[in-house]
Amino acid sequence: MKQIAQALFAAAVAFAATGTADAATLDTVKQRGVLNCGANGQLPGFGLPDSQGNWTGLDVEYCRAIAAAIFNDAAKVKSLP
């Protein structure tokens, strides 16, 4: 039982520590003014630029949704392969 309690405590400490890192990352993204997102670059349906250089796919749309939540503008995304 003591080992379970120690494991739960360690998990709680790790979870609390990630909140600070997440806040710092969000501040960095806001200061940058654009969300850098990695996309597959070779897999249709997930993240692939079309013939005009516009990225499409699930990964890209997910990043646009996050950018809309952060900046209130889904276009503030820089897709990177």
Side-chain angles (χ1 to χ4, degrees):
M1 188 62 126
K2 185 176 179 181
Q3 290 175 335
I4 293 173
Q6 288 174 338
L8 288 174
F9 178 74
V13 168
F15 181 75
T18 60
T20 304
D22 292 343
T25 301
L26 181 58
D27 289 341
T28 301
V29 171
K30 286 180 178 181
Q31 288 173 358
R32 186 184 313 125
V34 66
L35 179 65
N36 292 335
C37 277
N40 185 284
Q42 299 178 358
L43 190 60
F46 287 92
L48 189 66
D50 62 14
S51 60
Q52 298 166 336
N54 299 315
W55 284 80
T56 60
L58 180 65
D59 296 344
V60 178
E61 293 303 320
Y62 183 74
C63 288
R64 287 183 182 142
I66 294 171
I70 295 171
F71 300 112
N72 202 26
D73 185 353
K76 291 195 174 192
V77 172
K78 181 178 179 182
S79 294
L80 307 165

